Amino acid sequence: MSLLQHYKTFVKQHPSLVLNLERLLHWVAWNPERFSGSEFAYEAFNAAVGLLGIYNESILTEHPDYNATVARYALWLAAVEQVQTLVELRAIQLEQRGKMSRYGPLMVLESVKTLLRLQLWRSSKCTLALESVSKEDTQHHECEQQLKDLLQALCRLRHKYCCETDMLSPTPQ
């Protein structure tokens, strides 16, 4: 088994521990002054922790019925959005040094995000997909389906017994 498979297994077996470690990493980096004046290092650390969180969420929300292509595009879109601030900051630094305009990388980044959104829309059969499906959304949907099934079963039982009692009761003449 590869190291990546071991990591996926670990995340699936210990989701609360992984979430707490992510929170700890965010807490360590919440104060930008800890990076001694380097905004870029602070943003790079935040982007790395964010990418790790996105990957962990994608592991935890894997669902066999869910379209893998849609999930892949949603993951890539979330990853690009996570590093967007880092790219913008680097573009500003390069513009200040006179090496390039900040708008070139921003246009490329926005174009990539637009293409990913279009592919996500196309692969989800033109339905609106704002984000990838979270674990809570999946659980909420499953609970709603179970409640609907239960309600239908109760209605069938009511109809069955109400109709039978009407047939058994004497008709008034």
Side-chain angles (χ1 to χ4, degrees), residues 66 69-84 88 106-132:
Y66 195 62
T69 307
V70 172
R72 189 174 344 124
Y73 285 126
L75 179 66
W76 278 104
L77 181 60
V80 169
E81 288 174 344
Q82 188 64 45
V83 297
Q84 181 174 357
E88 290 173 0
L106 296 180
M107 288 176 55
V108 169
L109 194 64
E110 290 301 323
S111 299
V112 167
K113 285 171 42 180
T114 301
L115 289 173
L116 285 170
R117 283 189 181 109
L118 286 172
Q119 284 297 106
L120 180 62
W121 185 58
R122 194 187 103 213
S123 55
S124 65
K125 296 183 176 80
C126 299
T127 58
L128 184 61
L130 300 176
E131 294 181 5
S132 62

Side-chain angles (χ1 to χ4, degrees), residues 148-160:
K148 284 181 184 178
D149 293 342
L150 181 63
L151 184 60
Q152 288 173 353
L154 288 172
C155 287
R156 284 192 305 269
L157 282 172
R158 179 176 168 245
H159 184 267
K160 178 181 175 183

